[in-house]
Amino acid sequence: MPFEGLASIEQWATTKDYILSVTKFYNGDTLPSVDDLDWVIVMGGPMNIYEDDKHPWLTLEKYFLEEAIKKNKIVIGICLGSQLIADVLGSNTNLI
């Protein structure tokens, strides 16, 4: 969501000379190739992971995360991001 940022993660990545890019799924941004990424950091939002009908981009984001995980990329989730990762991995997130 527009109000979500990397905060301290961005500062850490910058000091390590990582190149950062942003993909706003909710905005319909063009997706990078998973092959071009080393890490994927998924941030939060106020929606539920099962609200694909209200937020259709969630379906694409879950697919993207699944591909990143299958290709052994480092994937970190914060808040909603961690729930999306759990869902992609088959967790029973109804308990969350």
Side-chain angles (χ1 to χ4, degrees):
M1 300 306 318
F3 54 84
E4 292 285 347
L6 289 175
S8 296
I9 296 171
E10 183 174 3
Q11 294 169 350
W12 173 84
T14 302
T15 63
K16 302 293 183 189
D17 292 325
Y18 286 109
I19 298 169
L20 298 173
S21 65
V22 176
T23 303
K24 297 176 182 177
F25 284 83
Y26 64 88
N27 231 17
D29 286 3
T30 302
L31 299 180
S33 169
V34 171
D35 294 327
D36 293 338
L37 305 172
D38 294 316
W39 294 47
V40 175
I41 302 172
V42 192
M43 299 306 292
M47 67 288 302
N48 186 291
I49 61 168
Y50 296 118
E51 292 184 318
D52 297 65
D53 55 332
K54 291 182 189 176
H55 309 283
W57 51 266
L58 283 172
T59 303
L60 182 59
E61 188 164 5
K62 289 178 207 177
Y63 174 77
F64 186 82
L65 291 172
E66 184 176 18
E67 289 301 305
I69 291 166
K70 283 180 182 175
K71 293 186 177 195
N72 294 315
K73 301 298 178 170
I74 297 169
V75 181
I76 299 173
I78 308 296
C79 196
L80 175 70
S82 65
Q83 294 174 44
L84 291 169
I85 293 167
D87 185 49
V88 165
L89 292 173
S91 176
N92 183 357
T93 52
N94 288 326
L95 302 175
I96 294 175

Coordinates of all heavy atoms in Angstrom, one line a residue:
M1 N 0.8 -1.2 0.0 CA 0.0 0.0 0.0 C 0.9 1.2 0.0 O 2.0 1.2 0.4 CB -0.9 0.0 1.2 CG -1.9 -1.2 1.3 SD -3.0 -1.6 -0.1 CE -3.6 -0.1 -0.7
P2 N 0.4 2.4 -0.4 CA 1.2 3.6 -0.6 C 1.8 4.0 0.7 O 2.9 4.6 0.7 CB 0.2 4.6 -1.0 CG -1.0 3.9 -1.6 CD -1.0 2.6 -0.9
F3 N 1.2 3.7 1.9 CA 1.8 4.1 3.2 C 2.8 3.1 3.7 O 3.4 3.4 4.8 CB 0.7 4.3 4.2 CG -0.2 3.1 4.4 CD1 0.1 2.1 5.2 CD2 -1.4 3.1 3.7 CE1 -0.7 1.0 5.3 CE2 -2.3 2.0 3.8 CZ -1.9 0.9 4.6
E4 N 3.0 2.0 3.0 CA 4.0 1.0 3.5 C 5.3 1.3 2.8 O 5.4 1.5 1.6 CB 3.6 -0.4 3.1 CG 2.4 -0.9 3.9 CD 2.6 -1.3 5.3 OE1 3.8 -1.4 5.7 OE2 1.7 -1.5 6.0
G5 N 6.4 1.3 3.7 CA 7.7 1.5 3.1 C 8.7 0.6 3.8 O 8.3 -0.2 4.7
L6 N 9.9 0.5 3.3 CA 10.9 -0.4 3.9 C 11.5 0.1 5.2 O 12.1 -0.7 5.9 CB 12.0 -0.7 2.8 CG 11.6 -1.5 1.6 CD1 12.7 -1.6 0.6 CD2 11.1 -2.9 2.1
A7 N 11.5 1.3 5.5 CA 12.0 1.9 6.7 C 13.5 1.4 7.0 O 14.3 1.6 6.1 CB 11.1 1.6 7.9
S8 N 13.7 0.8 8.1 CA 15.1 0.4 8.4 C 15.7 -0.6 7.4 O 16.9 -0.7 7.3 CB 15.1 -0.2 9.8 OG 14.7 0.7 10.8
I9 N 14.8 -1.4 6.8 CA 15.3 -2.4 5.8 C 16.0 -1.6 4.7 O 17.0 -2.0 4.2 CB 14.2 -3.3 5.3 CG1 13.6 -4.1 6.4 CG2 14.6 -4.2 4.2 CD1 12.3 -4.9 6.1
E10 N 15.4 -0.5 4.3 CA 15.9 0.3 3.2 C 17.3 0.8 3.6 O 18.2 0.8 2.8 CB 15.0 1.4 2.8 CG 15.5 2.2 1.6 CD 14.5 3.3 1.2 OE1 13.4 3.4 1.8 OE2 14.8 3.9 0.2
Q11 N 17.4 1.3 4.8 CA 18.7 1.9 5.3 C 19.7 0.8 5.3 O 20.9 1.0 4.8 CB 18.5 2.4 6.7 CG 17.6 3.7 6.7 CD 17.3 4.1 8.1 OE1 17.6 3.4 9.1 NE2 16.7 5.3 8.2
W12 N 19.4 -0.4 5.7 CA 20.3 -1.5 5.8 C 20.8 -1.9 4.4 O 21.9 -2.1 4.1 CB 19.7 -2.7 6.5 CG 20.5 -4.0 6.4 CD1 21.5 -4.3 7.3 CD2 20.4 -5.0 5.5 NE1 22.1 -5.5 6.9 CE2 21.4 -6.0 5.8 CE3 19.6 -5.3 4.4 CZ2 21.6 -7.1 5.0 CZ3 19.8 -6.4 3.6 CH2 20.8 -7.3 4.0
A13 N 19.8 -2.1 3.5 CA 20.1 -2.5 2.1 C 21.0 -1.5 1.4 O 21.9 -1.9 0.7 CB 18.8 -2.7 1.3
T14 N 20.7 -0.2 1.6 CA 21.5 0.8 1.0 C 23.0 0.8 1.5 O 23.9 0.9 0.7 CB 20.9 2.2 1.3 OG1 19.6 2.2 0.8 CG2 21.7 3.3 0.6
T15 N 23.2 0.5 2.8 CA 24.5 0.5 3.3 C 25.3 -0.7 2.8 O 26.5 -0.7 2.8 CB 24.6 0.5 4.9 OG1 23.9 -0.7 5.4 CG2 23.9 1.7 5.5
K16 N 24.6 -1.7 2.4 CA 25.2 -3.0 1.8 C 25.3 -2.9 0.3 O 25.7 -3.8 -0.3 CB 24.3 -4.2 2.2 CG 24.2 -4.4 3.7 CD 25.5 -4.7 4.3 CE 25.2 -5.0 5.8 NZ 26.5 -5.1 6.6
D17 N 24.9 -1.7 -0.3 CA 25.0 -1.5 -1.7 C 24.1 -2.4 -2.5 O 24.4 -2.7 -3.7 CB 26.5 -1.6 -2.2 CG 27.3 -0.5 -1.7 OD1 26.8 0.6 -1.5 OD2 28.5 -0.7 -1.4
Y18 N 23.0 -2.8 -1.9 CA 22.0 -3.5 -2.7 C 21.2 -2.5 -3.6 O 21.1 -1.4 -3.2 CB 21.0 -4.2 -1.8 CG 21.5 -5.5 -1.1 CD1 21.8 -5.5 0.2 CD2 21.8 -6.6 -1.9 CE1 22.3 -6.6 0.9 CE2 22.3 -7.8 -1.2 CZ 22.5 -7.7 0.1 OH 23.1 -8.8 0.7
I19 N 20.8 -3.0 -4.7 CA 20.0 -2.2 -5.6 C 18.5 -2.5 -5.3 O 18.1 -3.7 -5.4 CB 20.3 -2.5 -7.1 CG1 21.8 -2.1 -7.4 CG2 19.3 -1.7 -8.0 CD1 22.2 -2.6 -8.8
L20 N 17.8 -1.5 -5.0 CA 16.4 -1.7 -4.6 C 15.4 -1.3 -5.8 O 15.7 -0.4 -6.5 CB 16.0 -0.8 -3.4 CG 16.8 -1.1 -2.1 CD1 16.4 -0.1 -1.1 CD2 16.4 -2.5 -1.6
S21 N 14.4 -2.1 -5.9 CA 13.3 -1.7 -6.8 C 12.0 -2.0 -6.2 O 11.9 -2.7 -5.2 CB 13.4 -2.6 -8.1 OG 13.2 -4.0 -7.8
V22 N 11.0 -1.3 -6.6 CA 9.6 -1.4 -6.0 C 8.7 -1.8 -7.1 O 8.7 -1.3 -8.2 CB 9.2 0.0 -5.4 CG1 7.8 -0.1 -4.9 CG2 10.2 0.4 -4.4
T23 N 7.8 -2.8 -6.7 CA 6.7 -3.2 -7.6 C 5.4 -3.0 -6.8 O 5.3 -3.7 -5.7 CB 6.9 -4.7 -8.0 OG1 8.1 -4.8 -8.7 CG2 5.7 -5.1 -9.0
K24 N 4.6 -2.2 -7.3 CA 3.3 -1.9 -6.6 C 2.2 -2.7 -7.3 O 1.6 -2.3 -8.3 CB 3.0 -0.4 -6.6 CG 4.0 0.4 -5.8 CD 3.7 1.9 -5.9 CE 4.8 2.6 -5.2 NZ 4.7 4.1 -5.4
F25 N 2.0 -3.9 -6.8 CA 1.0 -4.8 -7.4 C -0.4 -4.1 -7.4 O -1.1 -4.2 -8.4 CB 0.9 -6.1 -6.6 CG 2.0 -7.1 -6.8 CD1 3.2 -6.9 -6.1 CD2 1.9 -8.1 -7.7 CE1 4.3 -7.8 -6.3 CE2 2.9 -9.0 -7.9 CZ 4.1 -8.8 -7.2
Y26 N -0.7 -3.4 -6.4 CA -2.0 -2.7 -6.3 C -2.2 -1.6 -7.3 O -3.3 -1.2 -7.7 CB -2.3 -2.1 -4.9 CG -1.3 -1.1 -4.5 CD1 -1.5 0.3 -4.8 CD2 -0.1 -1.4 -3.9 CE1 -0.6 1.2 -4.5 CE2 0.8 -0.4 -3.5 CZ 0.6 0.9 -3.9 OH 1.5 1.9 -3.5
N27 N -1.1 -1.2 -7.9 CA -1.0 -0.2 -8.9 C -1.0 -0.7 -10.3 O -1.0 0.1 -11.3 CB 0.2 0.7 -8.7 CG -0.1 2.2 -8.6 OD1 -1.3 2.6 -8.4 ND2 0.9 3.0 -8.7
G28 N -0.8 -2.0 -10.4 CA -0.7 -2.6 -11.8 C 0.7 -2.5 -12.4 O 0.8 -2.6 -13.6
D29 N 1.7 -2.3 -11.6 CA 3.1 -2.1 -12.1 C 3.5 -3.4 -12.9 O 3.0 -4.5 -12.6 CB 4.0 -2.0 -10.9 CG 4.0 -0.6 -10.3 OD1 3.2 0.2 -10.7 OD2 4.8 -0.4 -9.4
T30 N 4.3 -3.2 -13.8 CA 4.9 -4.3 -14.6 C 5.8 -5.1 -13.6 O 6.6 -4.5 -12.9 CB 5.7 -3.8 -15.8 OG1 4.9 -3.0 -16.6 CG2 6.3 -4.9 -16.6
L31 N 5.6 -6.4 -13.7 CA 6.4 -7.2 -12.8 C 7.8 -7.5 -13.3 O 8.0 -7.7 -14.5 CB 5.7 -8.6 -12.6 CG 4.3 -8.5 -12.0 CD1 3.8 -10.0 -11.9 CD2 4.3 -7.9 -10.6
P32 N 8.8 -7.5 -12.4 CA 10.1 -7.8 -12.8 C 10.2 -9.4 -13.0 O 9.3 -10.1 -12.5 CB 11.0 -7.4 -11.7 CG 10.1 -7.5 -10.5 CD 8.7 -7.1 -11.0
S33 N 11.2 -9.8 -13.7 CA 11.4 -11.3 -13.8 C 12.0 -11.7 -12.5 O 12.9 -11.1 -11.9 CB 12.4 -11.6 -14.9 OG 12.8 -12.9 -14.8
V34 N 11.4 -12.8 -11.9 CA 11.9 -13.4 -10.7 C 13.4 -13.7 -10.8 O 14.2 -13.6 -9.9 CB 11.1 -14.6 -10.3 CG1 11.7 -15.3 -9.1 CG2 9.7 -14.2 -9.9
D35 N 13.8 -14.1 -12.0 CA 15.2 -14.5 -12.3 C 16.2 -13.3 -12.1 O 17.3 -13.5 -11.8 CB 15.4 -15.0 -13.7 CG 14.7 -16.3 -13.9 OD1 14.6 -17.1 -12.9 OD2 14.2 -16.6 -15.0
D36 N 15.6 -12.1 -12.2 CA 16.5 -10.9 -12.0 C 16.6 -10.4 -10.6 O 17.3 -9.4 -10.3 CB 15.9 -9.7 -12.8 CG 16.0 -10.0 -14.3 OD1 16.8 -10.8 -14.7 OD2 15.2 -9.3 -15.1
L37 N 16.0 -11.1 -9.6 CA 16.0 -10.7 -8.2 C 16.8 -11.7 -7.4 O 16.8 -12.9 -7.6 CB 14.5 -10.6 -7.7 CG 13.6 -9.8 -8.5 CD1 12.1 -9.9 -8.0 CD2 14.0 -8.3 -8.4
D38 N 17.4 -11.1 -6.3 CA 18.0 -12.0 -5.3 C 17.1 -12.1 -4.1 O 17.0 -13.2 -3.5 CB 19.3 -11.3 -4.9 CG 20.4 -11.3 -6.0 OD1 20.5 -12.3 -6.7 OD2 21.0 -10.2 -6.2
W39 N 16.4 -11.1 -3.8 CA 15.5 -11.0 -2.6 C 14.2 -10.5 -3.0 O 14.1 -9.7 -3.9 CB 16.1 -10.1 -1.5 CG 17.4 -10.4 -0.9 CD1 18.5 -10.8 -1.4 CD2 17.6 -10.3 0.5 NE1 19.5 -11.0 -0.5 CE2 19.0 -10.7 0.7 CE3 16.9 -10.0 1.6 CZ2 19.6 -10.7 2.0 CZ3 17.4 -10.0 2.9 CH2 18.8 -10.3 3.0
V40 N 13.2 -10.9 -2.3 CA 11.8 -10.3 -2.4 C 11.4 -10.0 -1.0 O 11.4 -10.8 -0.1 CB 10.8 -11.3 -3.1 CG1 9.4 -10.7 -3.1 CG2 11.3 -11.7 -4.5
I41 N 11.0 -8.7 -0.8 CA 10.5 -8.3 0.5 C 9.1 -7.8 0.3 O 8.8 -6.9 -0.5 CB 11.4 -7.1 1.1 CG1 12.9 -7.6 1.2 CG2 10.8 -6.6 2.4 CD1 13.8 -6.5 1.6
V42 N 8.2 -8.5 1.0 CA 6.8 -8.2 0.8 C 6.2 -7.5 2.0 O 6.4 -8.0 3.2 CB 6.0 -9.5 0.6 CG1 4.5 -9.2 0.2 CG2 6.6 -10.5 -0.3
M43 N 5.7 -6.3 1.8 CA 5.2 -5.5 2.9 C 3.7 -5.8 3.2 O 3.1 -6.7 2.7 CB 5.5 -4.0 2.6 CG 6.9 -3.7 2.4 SD 8.0 -4.2 3.7 CE 7.5 -3.1 5.0
G44 N 3.2 -4.9 4.0 CA 1.8 -5.1 4.5 C 0.7 -4.3 3.8 O 1.0 -3.7 2.8
G45 N -0.4 -4.4 4.4 CA -1.6 -3.7 4.0 C -2.8 -4.1 4.8 O -2.7 -5.0 5.6
P46 N -3.9 -3.3 4.7 CA -5.0 -3.5 5.6 C -6.0 -4.6 5.2 O -6.8 -5.0 5.9 CB -5.7 -2.2 5.6 CG -5.4 -1.6 4.2 CD -4.0 -2.1 3.9
M47 N -5.7 -5.2 4.0 CA -6.7 -6.2 3.5 C -6.3 -7.6 4.0 O -5.2 -7.8 4.6 CB -6.7 -6.2 2.0 CG -5.4 -6.7 1.3 SD -4.0 -5.5 1.4 CE -4.7 -4.1 0.6
N48 N -7.2 -8.5 3.9 CA -7.0 -9.9 4.2 C -6.5 -10.7 3.0 O -6.8 -10.3 1.9 CB -8.3 -10.5 4.7 CG -8.2 -11.9 5.2 OD1 -7.9 -12.9 4.5 ND2 -8.3 -12.1 6.5
I49 N -5.7 -11.7 3.2 CA -5.1 -12.4 2.1 C -6.1 -13.1 1.2 O -5.8 -13.5 0.1 CB -4.1 -13.5 2.6 CG1 -4.7 -14.5 3.5 CG2 -2.9 -12.8 3.3 CD1 -3.8 -15.7 3.8
Y50 N -7.3 -13.3 1.7 CA -8.4 -14.0 1.0 C -9.3 -13.0 0.3 O -10.3 -13.4 -0.3 CB -9.2 -14.9 1.9 CG -8.4 -16.1 2.4 CD1 -8.2 -16.2 3.8 CD2 -7.7 -17.0 1.6 CE1 -7.4 -17.2 4.3 CE2 -6.9 -18.0 2.0 CZ -6.8 -18.1 3.4 OH -6.0 -19.1 3.9
E51 N -9.0 -11.8 0.2 CA -9.9 -10.8 -0.4 C -9.5 -10.5 -1.8 O -9.5 -9.4 -2.3 CB -9.8 -9.5 0.4 CG -10.5 -9.6 1.8 CD -10.6 -8.3 2.6 OE1 -9.6 -7.5 2.5 OE2 -11.6 -8.1 3.2
D52 N -9.2 -11.6 -2.6 CA -8.8 -11.4 -4.0 C -10.0 -10.8 -4.8 O -9.7 -10.1 -5.8 CB -8.5 -12.8 -4.6 CG -7.3 -13.5 -3.9 OD1 -7.4 -13.8 -2.7 OD2 -6.3 -13.6 -4.6
D53 N -11.2 -11.0 -4.4 CA -12.4 -10.4 -5.1 C -12.4 -8.9 -5.0 O -12.6 -8.2 -5.9 CB -13.7 -11.0 -4.6 CG -13.9 -10.9 -3.1 OD1 -12.9 -10.8 -2.3 OD2 -15.1 -10.8 -2.7
K54 N -12.0 -8.4 -3.8 CA -11.9 -6.9 -3.6 C -10.6 -6.4 -4.1 O -10.5 -5.2 -4.5 CB -12.0 -6.6 -2.1 CG -13.3 -6.8 -1.5 CD -13.3 -6.4 -0.1 CE -14.5 -6.7 0.7 NZ -14.4 -6.4 2.1
H55 N -9.5 -7.2 -4.1 CA -8.2 -6.8 -4.4 C -7.6 -7.8 -5.4 O -6.7 -8.6 -5.0 CB -7.3 -6.6 -3.2 CG -7.9 -5.8 -2.1 ND1 -8.0 -4.4 -2.1 CD2 -8.6 -6.1 -0.9 CE1 -8.6 -4.0 -1.1 NE2 -9.0 -5.0 -0.3
P56 N -8.0 -7.8 -6.7 CA -7.6 -8.8 -7.6 C -6.1 -9.0 -7.8 O -5.6 -10.0 -8.1 CB -8.2 -8.4 -8.9 CG -9.1 -7.2 -8.6 CD -8.8 -6.8 -7.2
W57 N -5.3 -7.9 -7.5 CA -3.9 -8.0 -7.6 C -3.3 -9.0 -6.6 O -2.1 -9.5 -6.8 CB -3.2 -6.6 -7.4 CG -3.7 -5.9 -6.2 CD1 -4.7 -5.0 -6.1 CD2 -3.2 -6.0 -4.9 NE1 -4.9 -4.5 -4.9 CE2 -3.9 -5.1 -4.1 CE3 -2.2 -6.7 -4.3 CZ2 -3.7 -5.0 -2.7 CZ3 -1.9 -6.6 -3.0 CH2 -2.7 -5.7 -2.2
L58 N -4.0 -9.4 -5.5 CA -3.5 -10.3 -4.5 C -3.2 -11.7 -5.2 O -2.2 -12.3 -4.9 CB -4.4 -10.5 -3.4 CG -4.5 -9.4 -2.3 CD1 -5.7 -9.7 -1.4 CD2 -3.2 -9.3 -1.6
T59 N -4.0 -12.1 -6.2 CA -3.8 -13.3 -6.9 C -2.5 -13.3 -7.6 O -1.7 -14.3 -7.5 CB -5.0 -13.6 -7.9 OG1 -6.2 -13.6 -7.1 CG2 -4.8 -14.9 -8.6
L60 N -2.2 -12.2 -8.3 CA -0.9 -12.1 -9.0 C 0.3 -12.1 -8.0 O 1.3 -12.7 -8.3 CB -0.9 -10.9 -9.9 CG 0.3 -10.6 -10.7 CD1 0.5 -11.8 -11.7 CD2 0.1 -9.3 -11.5
E61 N 0.1 -11.4 -6.9 CA 1.2 -11.3 -5.9 C 1.5 -12.6 -5.4 O 2.7 -13.0 -5.2 CB 0.8 -10.3 -4.8 CG 2.0 -10.0 -3.9 CD 1.8 -8.8 -3.0 OE1 0.7 -8.2 -3.1 OE2 2.7 -8.5 -2.3
K62 N 0.5 -13.4 -5.1 CA 0.7 -14.8 -4.5 C 1.4 -15.6 -5.6 O 2.3 -16.4 -5.2 CB -0.6 -15.4 -4.2 CG -1.3 -14.8 -2.9 CD -2.6 -15.5 -2.6 CE -3.5 -14.6 -1.9 NZ -4.8 -15.2 -1.7
Y63 N 1.0 -15.5 -6.8 CA 1.7 -16.3 -7.9 C 3.2 -15.9 -8.0 O 4.1 -16.7 -8.1 CB 1.0 -16.1 -9.2 CG 1.7 -16.7 -10.4 CD1 1.6 -18.1 -10.6 CD2 2.5 -16.0 -11.2 CE1 2.3 -18.7 -11.7 CE2 3.2 -16.5 -12.3 CZ 3.1 -17.9 -12.5 OH 3.8 -18.5 -13.5
F64 N 3.4 -14.6 -7.9 CA 4.8 -14.1 -8.0 C 5.6 -14.6 -6.8 O 6.8 -15.1 -7.0 CB 4.8 -12.5 -8.0 CG 6.1 -11.9 -8.1 CD1 6.6 -11.7 -9.4 CD2 6.8 -11.5 -7.1 CE1 7.9 -11.2 -9.6 CE2 8.1 -10.9 -7.2 CZ 8.6 -10.7 -8.5
L65 N 5.1 -14.6 -5.6 CA 5.8 -15.1 -4.4 C 6.0 -16.6 -4.6 O 7.1 -17.1 -4.2 CB 4.9 -14.9 -3.2 CG 4.8 -13.4 -2.7 CD1 3.8 -13.3 -1.6 CD2 6.2 -12.9 -2.3
E66 N 5.1 -17.4 -5.1 CA 5.2 -18.8 -5.3 C 6.4 -19.1 -6.2 O 7.2 -19.9 -6.0 CB 3.9 -19.4 -5.9 CG 4.0 -20.9 -6.0 CD 2.7 -21.5 -6.5 OE1 1.8 -20.7 -7.0 OE2 2.5 -22.7 -6.4
E67 N 6.5 -18.3 -7.3 CA 7.6 -18.4 -8.3 C 8.9 -18.1 -7.6 O 9.9 -18.8 -7.8 CB 7.4 -17.5 -9.5 CG 6.2 -18.0 -10.4 CD 6.5 -19.4 -10.9 OE1 7.5 -19.7 -11.5 OE2 5.6 -20.3 -10.7
A68 N 9.0 -17.1 -6.8 CA 10.2 -16.7 -6.2 C 10.7 -17.8 -5.2 O 11.8 -18.1 -5.1 CB 10.0 -15.4 -5.4
I69 N 9.7 -18.3 -4.5 CA 10.0 -19.4 -3.5 C 10.5 -20.7 -4.3 O 11.5 -21.3 -3.9 CB 8.8 -19.7 -2.6 CG1 8.6 -18.5 -1.7 CG2 9.0 -21.0 -1.8 CD1 7.2 -18.5 -1.0
K70 N 9.8 -21.0 -5.4 CA 10.3 -22.2 -6.1 C 11.7 -22.0 -6.7 O 12.4 -23.0 -6.9 CB 9.3 -22.4 -7.3 CG 8.0 -23.0 -6.9 CD 7.1 -23.2 -8.1 CE 5.8 -23.8 -7.8 NZ 4.8 -23.9 -8.9
K71 N 12.1 -20.8 -7.0 CA 13.4 -20.5 -7.5 C 14.4 -20.2 -6.4 O 15.5 -19.7 -6.7 CB 13.3 -19.4 -8.5 CG 12.5 -19.8 -9.8 CD 12.6 -18.8 -10.9 CE 11.8 -19.3 -12.1 NZ 12.1 -18.6 -13.3
N72 N 14.1 -20.6 -5.2 CA 15.0 -20.4 -4.1 C 15.5 -19.0 -3.8 O 16.6 -18.8 -3.4 CB 16.1 -21.4 -4.2 CG 15.7 -22.8 -4.1 OD1 14.9 -23.2 -3.2 ND2 16.2 -23.7 -5.0
K73 N 14.6 -18.0 -4.1 CA 15.0 -16.6 -3.8 C 14.8 -16.4 -2.3 O 14.0 -17.1 -1.6 CB 14.1 -15.7 -4.6 CG 14.2 -15.8 -6.1 CD 15.7 -15.6 -6.6 CE 15.8 -15.8 -8.1 NZ 17.0 -15.3 -8.6
I74 N 15.4 -15.5 -1.7 CA 15.2 -15.1 -0.3 C 13.9 -14.3 -0.3 O 13.8 -13.3 -1.1 CB 16.4 -14.2 0.2 CG1 17.6 -15.1 0.2 CG2 16.0 -13.7 1.6 CD1 18.9 -14.3 0.5
V75 N 12.9 -14.7 0.4 CA 11.6 -14.0 0.5 C 11.3 -13.7 1.9 O 11.3 -14.6 2.8 CB 10.5 -14.9 -0.1 CG1 9.2 -14.2 -0.1 CG2 10.9 -15.3 -1.6
I76 N 11.1 -12.4 2.2 CA 10.8 -11.9 3.5 C 9.5 -11.2 3.5 O 9.2 -10.4 2.6 CB 11.9 -10.9 4.0 CG1 13.3 -11.6 4.0 CG2 11.5 -10.3 5.3 CD1 14.4 -10.7 4.3
G77 N 8.6 -11.5 4.5 CA 7.3 -10.9 4.6 C 7.1 -10.2 5.9 O 7.5 -10.7 6.9
I78 N 6.6 -9.0 5.8 CA 6.3 -8.2 6.9 C 4.7 -8.0 7.0 O 4.1 -7.6 6.0 CB 6.9 -6.8 6.8 CG1 8.4 -6.8 6.5 CG2 6.6 -5.9 8.1 CD1 9.2 -7.5 7.6
C79 N 4.1 -8.4 8.1 CA 2.7 -8.2 8.3 C 1.9 -9.0 7.3 O 2.0 -10.2 7.2 CB 2.3 -6.8 8.4 SG 0.7 -6.4 9.1
L80 N 1.1 -8.4 6.4 CA 0.4 -9.1 5.4 C 1.3 -9.9 4.5 O 1.0 -11.0 4.1 CB -0.4 -8.1 4.5 CG -1.1 -8.7 3.3 CD1 -2.3 -9.5 3.8 CD2 -1.6 -7.6 2.4
G81 N 2.5 -9.4 4.3 CA 3.5 -10.1 3.5 C 3.8 -11.5 4.0 O 3.9 -12.5 3.3
S82 N 3.9 -11.6 5.3 CA 4.2 -12.9 5.9 C 3.0 -13.8 5.8 O 3.2 -15.0 5.6 CB 4.6 -12.7 7.4 OG 3.6 -12.2 8.2
Q83 N 1.8 -13.3 5.9 CA 0.6 -14.1 5.7 C 0.5 -14.6 4.3 O 0.1 -15.7 4.1 CB -0.6 -13.3 6.1 CG -0.7 -12.9 7.6 CD -1.8 -12.0 7.9 OE1 -2.9 -12.2 7.5 NE2 -1.5 -11.0 8.8
L84 N 0.8 -13.7 3.3 CA 0.8 -14.2 1.9 C 1.8 -15.3 1.7 O 1.5 -16.3 1.0 CB 1.1 -13.0 1.0 CG 0.1 -11.9 0.9 CD1 0.6 -10.7 0.2 CD2 -1.2 -12.4 0.2
I85 N 3.0 -15.2 2.3 CA 4.0 -16.3 2.1 C 3.4 -17.6 2.8 O 3.5 -18.6 2.2 CB 5.3 -15.9 2.8 CG1 5.9 -14.7 2.0 CG2 6.3 -17.0 2.8 CD1 7.1 -14.0 2.7
A86 N 2.9 -17.5 3.9 CA 2.3 -18.6 4.6 C 1.2 -19.3 3.7 O 1.2 -20.5 3.6 CB 1.8 -18.3 6.0
D87 N 0.4 -18.5 3.1 CA -0.7 -19.0 2.3 C -0.1 -19.7 1.1 O -0.5 -20.8 0.8 CB -1.6 -17.8 1.8 CG -2.8 -18.3 1.1 OD1 -3.5 -19.2 1.5 OD2 -3.1 -17.7 0.0
V88 N 0.9 -19.1 0.4 CA 1.5 -19.7 -0.7 C 2.2 -21.1 -0.4 O 2.1 -22.0 -1.2 CB 2.6 -18.7 -1.3 CG1 3.5 -19.4 -2.3 CG2 1.9 -17.6 -2.0
L89 N 2.7 -21.1 0.8 CA 3.3 -22.4 1.3 C 2.3 -23.4 1.8 O 2.7 -24.5 2.2 CB 4.4 -22.1 2.4 CG 5.6 -21.3 1.9 CD1 6.5 -20.9 3.1 CD2 6.4 -22.1 0.9
G90 N 1.0 -23.1 1.8 CA 0.0 -24.1 2.2 C -0.4 -24.1 3.6 O -1.1 -25.0 4.0
S91 N 0.0 -23.0 4.3 CA -0.4 -23.0 5.7 C -1.9 -22.8 5.9 O -2.5 -22.2 5.0 CB 0.3 -21.8 6.4 OG -0.1 -21.7 7.8
N92 N -2.4 -23.2 7.0 CA -3.8 -23.0 7.3 C -3.9 -21.6 8.0 O -3.9 -21.5 9.2 CB -4.4 -24.0 8.2 CG -5.9 -23.8 8.5 OD1 -6.5 -22.9 8.1 ND2 -6.4 -24.8 9.3
T93 N -4.0 -20.6 7.1 CA -3.9 -19.2 7.6 C -5.3 -18.8 8.2 O -5.4 -17.7 8.6 CB -3.5 -18.2 6.5 OG1 -4.2 -18.4 5.4 CG2 -2.0 -18.4 6.2
N94 N -6.3 -19.6 8.2 CA -7.6 -19.3 8.8 C -7.4 -19.2 10.3 O -8.2 -18.6 11.0 CB -8.6 -20.4 8.5 CG -9.1 -20.4 7.1 OD1 -9.2 -19.3 6.5 ND2 -9.4 -21.5 6.6
L95 N -6.3 -19.7 10.8 CA -6.0 -19.7 12.3 C -5.3 -18.4 12.7 O -5.2 -18.1 13.9 CB -5.1 -20.9 12.7 CG -5.7 -22.3 12.3 CD1 -4.7 -23.3 12.7 CD2 -7.0 -22.5 13.1
I96 N -4.9 -17.6 11.7 CA -4.1 -16.4 12.0 C -5.1 -15.3 12.5 O -6.1 -15.1 11.9 CB -3.3 -15.9 10.8 CG1 -2.2 -16.9 10.5 CG2 -2.7 -14.5 11.1 CD1 -1.4 -16.5 9.2

